[in-house]
Amino acid sequence: MPDSSPSFERIDEKSLLRQLLHSTPDHVYFKDREGRFLLINQSQSNIFGLDSPEDAVGKSDFDFFSAEHARQALDDEKHRLFRKSRGKFDWIIYAWG
């Protein structure tokens, strides 16, 4: 009888991450060290009024918010994330609600 249980060898992690990213109602995004969006989910894309999440790639908060808000957000992100870099990726989690 063949084994039908999931196998770690068969799991496409990138595909799972994208499914999770685009199915959550939470606003999720990833930025580079200069504050440019690398990836956003559909929920965040809707907030920005974009046709597609890919339309945000390479843009920053300056493209979506007032200069004052964007500058404050960038300064806050740099202060929280990049003063003590721990490796290739740094994480910050905000919870609003």
Side-chain angles (χ1 to χ4, degrees):
M1 176 178 250
D3 182 12
S4 62
S5 63
S7 168
F8 286 113
E9 292 81 30
R10 291 183 275 160
I11 293 175
D12 179 1
E13 292 175 0
K14 189 174 182 179
S15 177
L16 287 175
L17 177 60
R18 287 205 180 263
Q19 288 176 13
L20 175 64
L21 180 70
H22 293 298
S23 66
T24 182
D26 296 323
H27 305 190
V28 180
Y29 58 86
F30 299 91
K31 291 182 176 181
D32 65 14
R33 291 180 177 267
E34 285 75 43
R36 294 178 300 237
F37 291 99
L38 299 170
L39 178 68
I40 70 171
N41 70 345
Q42 187 62 53
S43 182
Q44 186 67 45
S45 179
N46 293 343
I47 292 297
F48 285 161
L50 300 173
D51 293 329
S52 166
E54 289 78 22
D55 293 341
V57 175
K59 295 184 178 181
S60 72
D61 286 341
F62 288 93
D63 295 295
F64 301 105
F65 302 104
S66 69
E68 180 181 351
H69 174 84
R71 170 58 51 205
Q72 181 61 44
L74 182 60
D75 290 346
D76 186 51
E77 289 166 355
K78 285 185 176 184
H79 172 74
R80 290 175 184 262
L81 288 175
F82 304 126
R83 62 188 166 138
K84 293 182 181 177
S85 180
R86 294 176 302 278
K88 186 173 181 182
F89 295 102
D90 293 293
W91 299 87
I92 187 166
I93 299 172
Y94 290 108
W96 293 276

